[in-house]
Amino acid sequence: MTRAFTFPGQGSQAVGMGKELAEAFAPAREVFEEVNDALGQNLTKLMWEGPEDELTLTENAQPALMAVSVAAMKTLEAEGGFALADKASFVAGHSLGEYSALAAAGAFTIADTARLLKLRGQAMQRAVPVGEGAMAAMLGLDFDVAKEVAEEAAQGEVCQAANDNAPGQVVISGAKAAVERAAEIAKTKGAKRAMLLPVSAPFHCALMQPAADEMKAALAEVAMQAPAVPLVANVTASRVADAETIRNLLVEQVTGMVRWRESVLYMVEQGVTQLVEVGVGKVLTGMAKRIAKEAETAAVGTPADVETFLKTL
């Protein structure tokens, strides 16, 4: 079996996330403590007790989701007695999950990843005043049609495909009025649903350029190693192993489209037969089943998941 570990993005967060892992496994506790120390913030208290609206803030949700993903991965390695590179051909992550993937693969330290994601969340929030941007999910439209809808709706404003998640599931992002126009146009093009998403900023579009500039400066200051296994990058949907190339792609990723559907297809074309989602929830597992029905899937985010998955190795 050829395996890839994948790491979820924003939207999967929930109060209580990671608590069972921390209670059951010392390696998970160590990851959470390292993240708290790096941020000078009791992030785990927020993760486990809420309030939910504070956890959902981008600057908290991003490092929190990474912490659970890396805690789960470190637990798998410790309990299973293996290193990630022994069991995977690739890592990949959805948007902020790309940072989780890189931390899990040793490209960044956990502390540096936590600080980068805190800044990334703050920079994305700063880039566009609240209420001026929006994102909408186009359900039931193929990517090419959704892209045409975004282009037609733009009318001189920013409106572009942000996430190509799975067949019939494309998210667009941009100026609020343009995204609202796109949602209406989508219905005339055969979309089953076109709905605005409850997000605080228009991620993965040109309006995020100020955040990309901030991340470029921050990433330039951070030490980086080649990952233990190649990353399948969001913006290229292909493998990359060189640290400096990855650094540049992480900057592009802020304004660029998350090519998740193509990334999964690429991994399967390269011989991957099992996609293992590591962290909170099963969003990527659901997408994988729609993109590549022939691939096996697994999700590891709780102590029970850890035990179940290790029995399959």
Side-chain angles (χ1 to χ4, degrees):
M1 180 182 290
T2 306
R3 186 178 294 108
F5 288 117
T6 66
F7 299 83
Q10 204 164 333
S12 294
Q13 67 276 354
V15 173
M17 59 196 274
K19 192 167 191 284
E20 289 182 8
L21 278 177
E23 289 170 348
F25 300 111
R29 286 195 294 278
E30 289 165 12
V31 170
F32 292 129
E33 286 164 12
E34 191 169 347
V35 170
N36 283 345
D37 290 345
L39 298 179
Q41 173 188 5
N42 193 344
L43 186 62
T44 47
K45 185 173 191 295
L46 178 60
M47 289 160 59
W48 298 340
E49 299 175 15
E52 187 176 6
D53 59 344
E54 197 175 329
L55 176 61
T56 303
L57 290 174
T58 304
E59 66 175 83
N60 292 324
Q62 294 201 18
L65 285 160
M66 179 278 296
V68 179
S69 285
V70 177
M73 193 70 238
K74 295 295 183 190
T75 297
L76 280 179
E77 290 178 303
E79 293 294 305
F82 65 85
L84 180 147
D86 300 333
K87 300 294 181 185
S89 298
F90 300 104
V91 290
H94 192 285
S95 191
L96 86 89
E98 198 154 75
Y99 285 81
S100 307
L102 290 165
F108 291 126
T109 66
I110 294 166
D112 281 341
T113 310
R115 287 188 288 261
L116 282 168
L117 285 173
K118 184 82 173 176
L119 173 66
R120 185 175 181 268
Q122 291 168 337
M124 286 177 147
Q125 199 60 69
R126 277 194 292 265
V128 181
V130 174
E132 289 190 12
M135 299 181 79
M138 307 277 149
L139 303 181
L141 290 187
D142 287 339
F143 173 71
D144 289 341
V145 178
K147 191 168 175 241
E148 286 170 13
V149 166
E151 288 166 0
E152 184 180 332
Q155 296 178 22
E157 294 183 294
V158 172
C159 188
Q160 62 195 84
N163 301 351
D164 180 10
N165 284 332
Q169 189 188 333
V170 181
V171 175
I172 64 165
S173 182
K176 189 165 187 282
V179 171
E180 288 171 345
R181 284 194 295 271
E184 292 306 312
I185 294 168
K187 291 167 190 172
T188 71
K189 303 279 188 182
K192 291 177 187 169
R193 287 179 74 194
M195 55 187 190
L196 292 176
L197 298 177
V199 294
S200 56
F203 306 129
H204 299 291
C205 76
L207 295 175
M208 287 285 112
Q209 188 57 48
D213 295 340
E214 285 196 55
M215 290 311 297
K216 183 176 183 178
L219 284 159
E221 299 296 317
V222 174
M224 194 173 179
Q225 312 297 322
V229 297
L231 172 78
V232 177
N234 284 184
V235 295
T236 61
S238 61
R239 65 186 289 153
V240 57
D242 174 69
E244 289 310 307
T245 305
I246 293 170
R247 202 188 300 262
N248 293 332
L249 291 174
L250 288 172
V251 177
E252 285 184 41
Q253 186 231 60
V254 179
T255 56
M257 183 172 69
V258 177
R259 295 169 61 182
W260 192 254
R261 177 182 60 85
E262 293 173 275
S263 295
V264 171
L265 289 173
Y266 173 83
M267 289 187 279
V268 171
E269 285 163 6
Q270 297 300 307
V272 168
T273 54
Q274 186 186 41
L275 295 153
V276 184
E277 180 173 7
V278 186
V280 183
K282 298 182 179 179
V283 170
L284 299 184
T285 302
M287 290 180 192
K289 287 173 178 173
R290 294 180 61 188
I291 298 165
K293 294 179 176 65
E294 68 276 24
E296 288 184 33
T297 57
V300 181
T302 67
D305 294 338
V306 169
E307 290 172 22
T308 301
F309 178 72
L310 290 177
K311 286 174 187 168
T312 69
L313 295 179

